[in-house]
Amino acid sequence: MLESALNKLAERILSLDEASLASLWGKYKNRMEHFEPSKDWEKAVIIFFIINAVRAKNHIFNEQILRQS
């Protein structure tokens, strides 16, 4: 059940546009840097790392495509 939920979450994240995510990077970086013990802060940290994960995945993907060319 947990793995299924994570797979569905990954599918949803993969459907997001990197440019749109990148435009939110600063907002969530700033929010994360201003700690407060709240669910909103926790969600901001998760969102920040999701954005970074998509950026890293795309960077690795593009490097691999270039290597194969």
Side-chain angles (χ1 to χ4, degrees), residues 7-51:
N7 276 308
K8 288 178 184 177
L9 182 57
E11 285 293 328
R12 296 275 314 251
I13 291 167
L14 287 171
S15 71
L16 302 174
D17 174 57
E18 183 185 3
S20 298
L21 289 173
S23 71
L24 296 172
W25 186 85
K27 173 184 176 179
Y28 286 98
K29 180 179 184 289
N30 184 52
R31 181 71 185 95
M32 181 185 70
E33 289 174 339
H34 294 89
F35 173 76
E36 64 180 59
S38 69
K39 284 290 184 191
D40 285 340
W41 179 85
E42 291 180 37
K43 289 190 285 186
V45 172
I46 298 298
I47 292 167
F48 178 76
F49 282 99
I50 287 171
I51 293 168

